[in-house]
Amino acid sequence: MAASPLNTKSNFHARSNSLPSRPHPLILQCNEHLERLKASQETSSPSSLLSHKLAGLQDLHECVEKLVQLPLTQEALLHEPQENWVDDLLDGSLRLLDVCTTAKDSLLHTKECMRELQSIMRRRKGGDDGITVEAKKFLTSRKVVKKAISKALGNLKAIAKKGNISSNIKDQQTMALVSLLKDVEVITLFIFESMLHFICGSTQAKSGSWSLVSKLIHTKRIGCSQVQDESEFAQVDAALHSFVLHMTSKSSSDNISNLPNHLEKMESRIQDFEEGLEFLFRRMIKIRVALLNILNH
């Protein structure tokens, strides 16, 4: 199978070298954010690092939003005939919004079920039997979430079939801007992919670069498995599975004793992710609208 066009250490540096001799400070800032996020892909993704990446992604998109508002951006994007790269940029912005929506919906669904479980546990309504019923509901809802995530991850495989940006762009500044926007799409999708795995209860193995879907393609593993650095979501799933499995034994109380702490940690992580995703979603919509306004001018 041919290498993914998103497999990008060489592409990233080639694009960076295409910048004008005196690029606008915002272009330099965007590339600095990209470099930091690119470097962070060299390590695994425990929850603290993933939150750090999400914060860095917010800084990047805030910078891009300012960049697309500049007159020089409008002039550069209108300088060349609008060929395939226009559709590619707009398709890319939709991909970002779709994946972000999947992550937001997954968090919301998990949070709603988590709060119902917390309420039952606080009131001890129905004793262990009542908790067991709610635990089974939670685990069933998690299966729905994981199925939606697996579908979203599977859809990302189509991105690998996309070609690179059009080589017909002759203007250096236009090429630099289009390349930058494509790099932003790639790193954003990579981090969203990592977050979806994390919500699902799995983490990806270390990757030597920030390719987006290579592991999904080469291992043909789209499911949620092989947890390495257990997320708060995985810990809650495991605790509830253990409780339900041993609900008829004396150890059932022991299995449930740590659950409130796991749920509290998961609630905090959900809030952190939700705030970051909502910020990004708003910025991505503004960036898409700005691009549409420029390209339809």
Side-chain angles (χ1 to χ4, degrees), residues 117 130-140 240 243-244 256:
L117 178 59
I131 296 175
T132 299
V133 170
E134 203 61 42
K136 289 180 177 179
K137 289 181 181 178
F138 180 90
L139 291 173
T140 299
L240 287 175
F243 174 73
V244 171
I256 206 70

Side-chain angles (χ1 to χ4, degrees), residues 101-254:
T101 298
T102 297
K104 288 173 60 180
D105 289 347
S106 298
L107 290 170
L108 179 61
H109 193 62
T110 300
K111 180 174 68 175
E112 290 174 346
C113 296
M114 174 200 68
R115 287 182 172 171
E116 291 179 8
L117 178 59
Q118 286 175 316
S119 177
I120 291 292
M121 291 182 65
R122 280 194 298 267
R123 292 182 288 127
R124 298 296 295 183
K125 184 177 179 180
D128 281 359
D129 288 340
I131 296 175
T132 299
V133 170
E134 203 61 42
K136 289 180 177 179
K137 289 181 181 178
F138 180 90
L139 291 173
T140 299
S141 73
R142 287 286 290 155
K143 288 181 180 178
V144 174
V145 167
K146 292 177 182 182
K147 183 176 180 180
I149 288 176
S150 291
K151 181 179 179 181
L153 292 173
N155 290 340
L156 293 183
K157 289 168 58 176
I159 299 173
K161 300 176 183 178
K162 299 278 184 181
N164 285 316
I165 60 173
S166 174
S167 59
N168 295 326
I169 301 178
K170 298 180 175 62
D171 180 72
Q172 187 181 27
Q173 189 175 41
T174 304
M175 175 66 80
L177 285 167
V178 174
S179 298
L180 174 62
L181 292 173
K182 288 302 298 177
D183 282 336
V184 170
E185 178 194 349
V186 170
I187 193 66
T188 303
L189 285 172
F190 184 97
I191 293 173
F192 282 173
E193 180 199 19
S194 299
M195 179 177 289
L196 288 175
H197 277 282
F198 191 86
I199 296 169
C200 197
S202 67
T203 56
Q204 293 172 281
K206 289 184 179 181
S207 60
S209 65
W210 44 295
S211 65
L212 176 64
V213 293
S214 59
K215 290 196 176 297
L216 294 177
I217 293 172
H218 294 306
T219 65
K220 298 181 180 179
R221 178 171 53 81
I222 304 176
C224 304
S225 60
Q226 297 187 1
V227 176
Q228 294 172 351
D229 296 311
E230 276 198 332
S231 71
E232 291 87 352
F233 299 86
Q235 291 169 358
V236 169
D237 289 347
L240 287 175
H241 276 296
S242 179
F243 174 73
V244 171
L245 181 64
H246 298 94
M247 63 182 178
T248 58
S249 70
K250 293 181 179 179
S251 62
S252 61
S253 296
D254 295 333

Side-chain angles (χ1 to χ4, degrees), residues 16 29 35 56 60 69 103 116 148 177 218 240 263 269 297:
S16 297
Q29 288 179 30
E35 286 284 2
L60 173 61
Q69 305 291 341
E116 291 179 8
L177 285 167
H218 294 306
L240 287 175
L263 288 170
R269 186 63 58 197
H297 183 71

